[in-house]
Amino acid sequence: MSAAKVKMRQKKMRNQPASVQYSTSSPLNGGDKPTTSKGGDGQSDARTSTERSKSSHHKGGWVRGHHKDGGGYAKEMPKYITAGAFARARAAEVSAMLKAVTKTTGSCHVFGALPKHMRRRAMSHNTKRLPHRLREVANRMREKSLQAGSKKKKEQAKSKSRKARRRHGNLLLAFNRRQRKNVWLETHIWHAKRFHMVKKWGYCLGERPTYKCYRPCYRAMSSHCLLQDLSYYCCIELQGEEHKLLASLSQLTSKEAGPTFAAALCLSGRRQGSVMVYRAGQYPSQPLGPVTFLWRPRTQDSTHRQLWIWAHPTLKLDLLPELQTVCQCCEAVLPPVVPVVTPAEVASTVESEPKPEKTPEAKKMTGTKRKRNHKDDSGPPAKKILGDGTRSPNTPVTWKSSSNGIVINDLTMEMVRYRLIGPQSHSVLAETLEAATDCDEMNKSQPSSLWWPEHCKDESKMNLHQQQADVFHILKGIYSTGELPSGTVLGLTVDDPRLTLPTKKVKALPCVKQAQEVDEEKSRELMLRGVPEHCCQSFLWEQSVRDNVTDNKISEQELNRMKSEVLVPGSRLSPTPLQGRVPILLVHQPGKQVGHEMSSWGAGWDVLLPKGWGMAFWVPLVYRGVRIGGLNMSLKHSQNKGAPHFPHDYPDCPAGVRFQEEQEVELLDKFKRRPPAKRTNYIKHGCLAPFCCPWQQLAEEWELIVREGGEERKEDSRTQSTTEADTEMEEMTSCQDVTMIKPPSRFTVLRNRKSVRLLSGWCRPSTSKGQRPCRVGEVPPLDRSAMRSFLTAHGMSVVWVRLTLLSKGKPELHAIVCVPTAEDLKLLKKERGSSGPQEPPHRDHFKSRIKSRKKSSKKSAATSQSSDKTEGKASDLPSASASDPNPTTSEDAKSSSSPSSDLVFGLWPDPLPSVSSHCSRVALGWVTQGDFSLSAGCGEALGLVSVSGLLNTLLNQPVEHRGMVLLRNPSSLQYRFAKINIEV
C-alpha cells in the first residue's frame, strides 16, 4: 500500500478504537485452537505459510475503491466457527464502538452529542437553541473560548434584524450617515431603485436606467417630454450695485465670444443668459467653462441687484475663487452658531433629585441587545438632511467686500432644479401645476407665521400673481415649447402638486379645448416678445420665503390623513392648506440654436424650487407620463443638438483637463484587464493615443508645418510613416526634434464668433450626409493671404466641428480625423457610396522588447535564488565594482531597461512620435462624441480639429470636395468619408 493511502487510512481511523486482539493465532475460525493442515511435511507447511504470508502481505491492508481481486481481503470462508470465541470477539467490538460514540474529545463541540437531525449551525451562535441539559456546558465552553489567549476577544455587536433596520428612524439614521461623503439629491432614493448610480463630482447620481430605454428616451425628447434632476448644479448668488457688479464681471468675459452679463434682455431679468467665463483679463486663453446666469428683475427706485450664476460642480472649484478675486470679497462671514441643546444638558439644568450611581450591571453590553430602550427615545428624532450633508456647519458660505459692498453667497443645494426636455414640456407643466388659490378673509385677518397669508394682504402682490397666472394659462394654447423665445423666465406661485395627483399615470397631451379658449393675440405676443418684465418676478429670490416654505411643508403622513377625511375619496382637499403654496421659477431652455436643420430641437423648461420640495414635485411629474433620463441622456441631448458638453468637450479648461485624465486612467485600466490576446493592438492599427487626445502636440505640429511651408514637410512625413522603419528610434528622435522647437503658447478652442463664422463659410456648410449646400452670406475667398492673416491670430487653436459620415459606419470615441489624398477624392468622385481607403498595418516595434523583458525577469528571479545561496561565499571574494573595467555599463543597462518596464502590449509608450504624420493620412484632430444619430439617420460625430490643419486642407482641396475628410476608429483600419460642418 502506498504512503498516501496509509496516511488517508490513518486520518480516517484516528478516532476509531484499537483492533481487537485474539488469544488464538488464527482469527478466521473464531476458535481457541489454530487449525493445522492434515497431511504434508513440515517443509510444505513452511512453504505454504511463507507463501500465505507473502500473499497476505501483498493483498492485506485497507484498499480504497472497487478492485477485481476483491480489494485484498480473503475470499475463502472458514470451515467452522466456535460460538464462544466468536461471541467474545463481537462483544469486544461492540463495547469499543459504544465507547467511541459516547466519548467526546476536546476538539468536538457540545452539540456534537446531539443526533444528526438536531444539529444546526445556528446552535453554535445561540446557545438558547440547544436543549436545556446542554446549555450550561455550552456557555462554559463559550466563556473559555472568549478568555483564551493573552488578549480577550472582543465580542462582535449583533446587527439589527432587517425589520428593525427598515424602521423609519433607523433608516433615516443610516441615510444620514451615508451622506457624509457624497451629497445625495432629494430624488436619490427614487433613482437608486431604478438607476445605476455613480459617484461623481462629490455627488451620488443616476447614470442610466436599469431597463433598456435608449430609443424611448430619444422619442420623448423629440415628441413628448424627458425629465432630469439637475439639482447637482451649483448656484452662486451675487448682490450689490448694478454698475459695480458689471464692472467686476466684465473682467471674466469678452464680447468677441458672444453676449456677456451686460446683455440688455438678460440684464432686465426677462431672459436667462449663457456666457463663457475666463480668468480675469486672460481672454482668449485660460478659459474656465460655460455658465448660465439670471438677473432678478429691477425693483422701483433701487439700483441694488441680485444675480444667480449656475455652474457645473467641477467648474465651481475654479469659478468661486475667481469671483472672490474680481469682486474683492475676501472677508468670510461665518454662519451663526446655533447652540444644540441635548437632553442630557436639559436634564442637568433642571433641579431634581441626585441621580443614583450606575452599577456595572446597568452598563450596556455591546452586541447583546438589538432593540432600543424607551430611554433612548427621549432624545430628539433624527431629521432628514436637506442640502449639502458633507459641508461642516462652520464652513463659510458668504463672503462680502468692504470696498464695494458686493456680497457672494454659495447657494449650492439650497434649491432644486428639474429640467424638462421636449416639445410637450409646457403641457406637462400645465397639467401638473396650478396657480395658487387666494386665502379667505378669515385667514387674512388673523396673524400667521406662514408667508402666503401675509402675502395675500398686499393688493399689488395679488394683482401681480393674477397676471402671472394668466400668462401661465396662455402656455396651454401653445403647440410646442420651441415656439417660445429662448431663455424666457416666468415667476409663479403654485399649489402643492400632491393635491392633484392622479390615481394612475396619464400621458399629458395638449388640450384642444383650452387652446381654443386662449386669445390668439396674447398667444402671438407671448411667442414673439416673451413674458413681460414684471411677470418675471418671484418670491423664490428671497431667502426668508424659501426657508419658510421649506420649514412648513406638509408631511406625507399628515397629507394622507387629511385625504382620508375627504367625503369623496380621490377628490381635492378644500380649502387648500395654507402650507401648500410654493414659489417657483420657470426658465425656458433653448434647443438647437446652431446649423440649418432641426431648429429648436430639444427645447424645454427648467423648474426652480425651494429645497425640501423635490419629491413633492417629482412624483406628480412622473405621473404625467414623462421619461426619466440620467447623466448619459444629458450627453446624448448635447450630441443631438450639436453642442459641446461640459466637461467632456472642453479640453482647454481645467475641469476638462481633469476629466480627460480620469477618463484616460479608466479606459487604460479597462484595457489592461483584458488578456493581451483578446484586446486590440493599437500599435499595429497606427493609433498613438486611443485613450486620450494630445491636443497641445497636435496644435504645435500643425503650426510648425504651416510655418515652414508645409507641403514638402508633409510629403516627407507621409513617406516616412508608410515605409516601416526597422526600429522605432527614428520616430522618437523626430518627435524630440519637434518638441525642441515647440512654442511656449498653449492651445485654445476658437470661440471668436466672427472668426468661427468665417471659417464655417470656407467649409461650405451642407445638410446632413452632405446632400446639398446651405445658403450662407458673403464670405471672402480663401487664399494664401487670407489664410496667413487668419492664422496670425488663431494659429494655436482648435475648432469645434460636426462630422457626418457619407456612407455606413458608426464613429467611436477618439476616432481620428484625417486629410484625404488626391487619390481618395478621385475615388469619392467615381463612387459616391465608397467605403473609403484602408490603413496599411503597422509594425509593432515593442513586441520583442516585451518578450525579452519577460525572459529577463524570469532569469533575474532564477539568478536571485542562486545568489542567495552563494551570498555567504561571495563575501570572501573581491567586489565586482573593483574588478569591472567599465563601471558605466551597469548604469547604461539600468537606463536602457527602465523605459521597457513601462511598456504595455499594444500601446505606444511616452513620449509619442509625430501625431499628425504617423499614419498614411495626415491627422487633423479627434472625435470626442460619436454614435449613430437617430435624427440624421447616419453616423455623426462631434470633435475638435486644428485650425491650421483645417485651413491648409481646405486651401488644397477642389471646390466641389471642400470640407471632405476621412474618419477612422481607433480599433479599425478602415477609413470612412465624412463631411465637416462648423455650425454657427
Side-chain angles (χ1 to χ4, degrees):
M1 187 168 56
S2 63
K5 291 183 178 179
V6 171
K7 288 183 180 180
M8 189 176 296
R9 168 155 178 90
Q10 291 177 357
K11 183 178 180 182
K12 288 196 171 187
M13 304 296 291
R14 65 180 183 272
N15 292 328
Q16 299 298 323
S19 301
V20 180
Q21 302 294 333
Y22 299 95
S23 58
T24 59
S25 61
S26 177
L28 295 176
N29 55 4
D32 297 335
K33 295 180 181 180
T35 57
T36 57
S37 60
K38 296 181 181 180
D41 53 358
Q43 186 178 1
S44 63
D45 295 340
R47 185 173 60 253
T48 55
S49 64
T50 306
E51 292 174 358
R52 188 182 303 147
S53 64
K54 289 181 180 179
S55 64
S56 64
H57 177 72
H58 176 70
K59 294 184 178 181
W62 177 78
V63 182
R64 182 176 59 177
H66 175 74
H67 293 268
K68 295 180 179 180
D69 55 353
Y73 299 104
K75 294 181 180 180
E76 62 274 8
M77 298 295 293
K79 296 180 179 180
Y80 61 90
I81 296 176
T82 305
F86 186 79
R88 284 194 300 271
R90 302 290 82 73
E93 290 180 357
V94 170
S95 63
M97 181 183 65
L98 293 175
K99 182 181 178 181
V101 170
T102 56
K103 180 183 178 182
T104 57
T105 59
S107 61
C108 295
H109 202 272
V110 66
F111 68 89
L114 292 172
K116 288 186 177 180
H117 72 278
M118 291 184 65
R119 297 178 184 179
R120 300 288 184 270
R121 184 178 296 177
M123 294 180 181
S124 62
H125 303 287
N126 187 3
T127 56
K128 292 183 180 180
R129 294 178 177 265
L130 285 169
H132 187 70
R133 59 185 176 84
L134 298 176
R135 290 181 190 173
E136 187 178 355
V137 183
N139 288 331
R140 285 200 303 265
M141 293 182 65
R142 187 164 173 263
E143 291 176 1
K144 288 181 181 179
S145 64
L146 290 175
Q147 296 175 1
S150 58
K151 259 189 177 180
K152 290 186 178 181
K153 296 181 180 179
K154 187 177 180 181
E155 187 177 2
Q156 295 182 355
K158 293 182 180 178
S159 61
K160 296 181 180 180
S161 63
R162 187 180 187 277
K163 184 178 180 181
R165 292 197 307 268
R166 299 302 296 177
R167 290 194 188 104
H168 177 70
N170 296 335
L171 207 59
L172 190 59
L173 288 173
F175 289 163
N176 291 345
R177 174 183 53 82
R178 290 162 61 186
Q179 295 182 61
R180 294 173 187 168
K181 291 185 179 179
N182 295 282
V183 182
W184 282 11
L185 307 184
E186 294 186 16
T187 58
H188 173 84
I189 302 299
W190 192 96
H191 278 90
K193 295 178 179 180
R194 300 164 179 88
F195 275 67
H196 295 284
M197 308 300 289
V198 293
K199 294 178 180 178
K200 277 189 175 182
W201 315 312
Y203 294 83
C204 199
L205 306 174
E207 185 180 27
R208 65 189 188 280
T210 54
Y211 49 90
K212 295 181 180 180
C213 66
Y214 178 77
R215 287 177 180 269
C217 285
Y218 172 77
R219 286 195 297 266
M221 288 188 288
S222 301
S223 58
H224 192 247
C225 182
L226 181 83
L227 177 61
Q228 291 179 312
D229 189 356
L230 298 185
S231 303
Y232 60 90
Y233 268 72
C234 305
C235 179
I236 302 174
E237 182 185 62
L238 276 70
Q239 297 183 21
E241 299 296 326
E242 180 179 323
H243 66 280
K244 294 181 180 178
L245 288 174
L246 293 177
S248 301
L249 296 173
S250 63
Q251 306 176 40
L252 306 178
T253 58
S254 174
K255 293 181 180 180
E256 296 180 358
T260 62
F261 290 100
L265 283 176
C266 300
L267 190 59
S268 64
R270 298 179 60 184
R271 306 283 177 87
Q272 176 187 249
S274 60
V275 68
M276 189 70 187
V277 177
Y278 296 80
R279 294 200 182 273
Q282 297 296 324
Y283 174 83
S285 60
Q286 299 188 22
L288 296 179
V291 298
T292 57
F293 62 94
L294 183 61
W295 288 92
R296 184 176 184 178
R298 297 184 179 92
T299 55
Q300 294 181 355
D301 303 332
S302 176
T303 57
H304 188 272
R305 298 301 301 273
Q306 198 171 346
L307 172 67
W308 282 347
I309 299 177
W310 293 85
H312 196 272
T314 56
L315 175 56
K316 177 190 169 184
L317 303 175
D318 308 307
L319 177 62
L320 187 57
E322 203 68 25
L323 287 174
Q324 294 174 357
T325 303
V326 297
C327 296
Q328 303 175 8
C329 295
C330 303
E331 301 177 13
V333 180
L334 297 178
V337 180
V338 180
V340 179
V341 182
T342 60
E345 295 175 355
V346 175
S348 63
T349 55
V350 180
E351 295 181 0
S352 60
E353 297 180 0
K355 297 181 180 179
E357 295 183 0
K358 292 184 178 181
T359 59
E361 292 80 11
K363 295 181 180 179
K364 294 182 179 180
M365 299 295 293
T366 59
T368 56
K369 291 185 179 181
R370 295 193 294 185
K371 292 183 179 180
R372 291 188 296 176
N373 295 331
H374 294 289
K375 297 180 181 179
D376 299 337
D377 299 336
S378 60
K383 293 184 178 180
K384 182 180 179 181
I385 293 179
L386 295 178
D388 191 352
T390 63
R391 181 186 293 166
S392 172
N394 300 326
T395 304
V397 294
T398 304
W399 299 267
K400 66 177 183 180
S401 172
S402 55
S403 58
N404 52 23
I406 297 178
V407 179
I408 298 178
N409 294 320
D410 186 5
L411 300 183
T412 302
M413 294 298 295
E414 289 297 313
M415 281 177 286
V416 179
R417 185 167 189 143
Y418 294 154
R419 175 162 293 177
L420 291 89
I421 304 171
Q424 300 303 322
S425 301
H426 66 287
S427 301
V428 174
L429 291 176
E431 288 198 15
T432 307
L433 308 178
E434 288 189 7
T437 54
D438 194 1
C439 296
D440 52 12
E441 295 298 332
M442 184 178 64
N443 292 328
K444 289 182 181 179
S445 59
Q446 296 178 357
S448 175
S449 60
L450 304 176
W451 78 281
W452 182 249
E454 298 297 327
H455 176 80
C456 292
K457 295 178 183 179
D458 194 341
E459 191 67 25
S460 61
K461 294 180 180 178
M462 292 308 298
N463 292 335
L464 176 62
H465 171 67
Q466 187 60 40
Q467 295 176 8
Q468 292 174 341
D470 295 339
V471 173
F472 183 69
H473 182 71
I474 297 174
L475 286 177
K476 301 178 182 179
I478 296 178
Y479 177 74
S480 175
T481 309
E483 297 179 3
L484 295 170
S486 60
T488 299
V489 181
L490 174 62
L492 193 63
T493 303
V494 297
D495 286 337
D496 192 339
R498 296 175 293 177
L499 302 177
T500 57
L501 186 67
T503 56
K504 62 179 181 179
K505 288 186 179 181
V506 180
K507 194 170 185 178
L509 296 173
C511 184
V512 181
K513 293 183 179 180
Q514 292 179 350
Q516 293 175 355
E517 294 175 0
V518 175
D519 190 1
E520 293 184 2
E521 293 184 2
K522 293 183 179 179
S523 177
R524 192 181 300 111
E525 184 75 13
L526 181 62
M527 289 188 291
L528 291 177
R529 299 187 179 181
V531 179
E533 182 177 345
H534 63 278
C535 292
C536 302
Q537 189 63 261
S538 175
F539 284 92
L540 190 68
W541 288 93
E542 298 184 8
Q543 179 73 34
S544 59
V545 176
R546 293 199 302 266
D547 296 340
N548 190 293
V549 174
T550 300
D551 297 338
N552 297 303
K553 177 195 170 188
I554 308 175
S555 64
E556 292 287 341
Q557 181 181 4
E558 181 67 18
L559 190 64
N560 293 335
R561 185 193 62 79
M562 297 169 65
K563 286 182 177 180
S564 65
E565 297 174 355
V566 178
L567 295 178
V568 181
S571 60
R572 177 170 174 167
L573 293 177
S574 182
T576 306
L578 295 178
Q579 304 96 320
R581 273 73 169 193
V582 188
I584 66 172
L585 263 176
L586 300 177
V587 183
H588 182 266
Q589 286 295 326
K592 185 177 180 182
Q593 295 181 298
V594 295
H596 303 272
E597 294 178 315
M598 298 175 59
S599 180
S600 299
W601 184 93
W605 287 93
D606 279 9
V607 185
L608 305 183
L609 313 167
K611 68 177 181 180
W613 286 84
M615 288 304 298
F617 280 76
W618 183 267
V619 175
L621 288 171
V622 171
Y623 266 66
R624 265 64 184 192
V626 300
R627 278 277 173 181
I628 311 300
L631 294 177
N632 64 336
M633 276 300 118
S634 298
L635 188 63
K636 295 301 176 184
H637 180 232
S638 301
Q639 182 177 341
N640 287 320
K641 289 197 306 181
H645 187 73
F646 190 85
H648 300 64
D649 307 319
Y650 288 80
D652 56 340
C653 299
V657 173
R658 291 192 295 266
F659 172 80
Q660 290 197 355
E661 292 174 355
E662 295 171 1
Q663 186 185 52
E664 181 183 4
V665 171
E666 181 181 352
L667 294 176
L668 184 59
D669 291 343
K670 183 179 178 181
F671 178 79
K672 288 181 178 179
R673 283 197 296 267
R674 298 178 63 87
K678 302 297 181 183
R679 63 193 187 199
T680 307
N681 190 332
Y682 292 107
I683 297 180
K684 289 187 176 182
H685 286 189
C687 183
L688 293 177
F691 307 135
C692 65
C693 302
W695 303 108
Q696 181 71 20
Q697 185 176 350
L698 178 74
E700 291 172 358
E701 289 181 8
W702 269 110
E703 190 190 24
L704 191 62
I705 289 173
V706 173
R707 187 196 308 164
E708 293 185 356
E711 292 298 326
E712 297 178 359
R713 184 178 179 86
K714 283 192 294 183
E715 291 296 331
D716 296 341
S717 61
R718 188 181 296 114
T719 54
Q720 180 183 359
S721 60
T722 50
T723 57
E724 298 177 352
D726 294 337
T727 60
E728 75 285 351
M729 299 306 297
E730 297 179 2
E731 294 183 352
M732 305 287 274
T733 52
S734 65
C735 170
Q736 293 174 359
D737 294 341
V738 172
T739 53
M740 285 172 60
I741 0 173
K742 69 175 183 180
S745 59
R746 180 169 174 78
F747 85 99
T748 57
V749 177
L750 181 62
R751 297 187 179 92
N752 188 310
R753 289 204 169 187
K754 291 184 179 180
S755 303
V756 171
R757 191 176 291 110
L758 181 62
L759 198 57
S760 174
W762 286 338
C763 284
R764 294 182 70 250
S766 62
T767 58
S768 61
K769 291 190 176 182
Q771 295 173 352
R772 62 183 184 276
C774 299
R775 294 181 180 179
V776 293
E778 294 184 1
V779 179
L782 176 62
D783 51 11
R784 293 284 178 185
S785 60
M787 171 184 166
R788 196 177 301 107
S789 61
F790 192 92
L791 292 181
T792 340
H794 311 292
M796 280 289 294
S797 298
V798 294
V799 65
W800 177 256
V801 297
R802 181 172 65 91
L803 301 148
T804 306
L805 295 183
L806 302 184
S807 60
K808 61 181 181 180
K810 176 185 172 183
E812 295 178 359
L813 181 67
H814 298 156
I816 312 173
V817 184
C818 301
V819 181
T821 60
E823 292 77 10
D824 298 336
L825 295 178
K826 290 179 182 178
L827 178 65
L828 177 63
K829 188 176 181 179
K830 185 178 180 181
E831 302 177 12
R832 182 65 180 175
S834 174
S835 297
Q838 278 197 347
E839 174 73 16
H842 291 229
R843 179 182 174 185
D844 189 355
H845 307 292
F846 303 97
K847 190 175 182 179
S848 58
R849 282 193 177 187
I850 295 175
K851 289 183 178 180
S852 62
R853 184 187 64 182
K854 290 182 179 179
K855 292 181 181 178
S856 61
S857 62
K858 291 181 181 178
K859 290 181 180 179
S860 61
T863 53
S864 63
Q865 293 178 359
S866 61
S867 62
D868 293 339
K869 296 179 181 178
T870 58
E871 186 177 359
K873 299 179 181 179
S875 59
D876 302 334
L877 300 176
S879 62
S881 60
S883 60
D884 191 4
N886 189 6
T888 59
T889 54
S890 59
E891 297 179 0
D892 295 341
K894 290 181 181 179
S895 62
S896 62
S897 63
S898 59
S900 64
S901 61
D902 299 335
L903 294 179
V904 179
F905 183 79
L907 293 179
W908 269 89
D910 291 331
L912 297 177
S914 175
V915 295
S916 61
S917 58
H918 179 69
C919 301
S920 60
R921 270 69 177 177
V922 183
L924 281 177
W926 292 276
V927 168
T928 57
Q929 300 178 31
D931 202 353
F932 182 84
S933 175
L934 295 175
S935 58
C938 62
E940 281 195 347
L942 302 172
L944 296 161
V945 298
S946 170
V947 172
S948 304
L950 180 61
L951 284 178
N952 198 7
T953 303
L954 296 176
L955 189 63
N956 297 323
Q957 284 182 340
V959 180
E960 63 274 10
H961 288 151
R962 183 165 289 179
M964 291 294 173
V965 293
L966 292 174
L967 201 65
R968 182 167 67 90
N969 291 333
S971 58
S972 173
L973 294 173
Q974 179 68 49
Y975 285 98
R976 303 286 184 187
F977 286 105
K979 177 69 174 65
I980 274 190
N981 278 327
I982 301 178
E983 297 178 332
V984 293

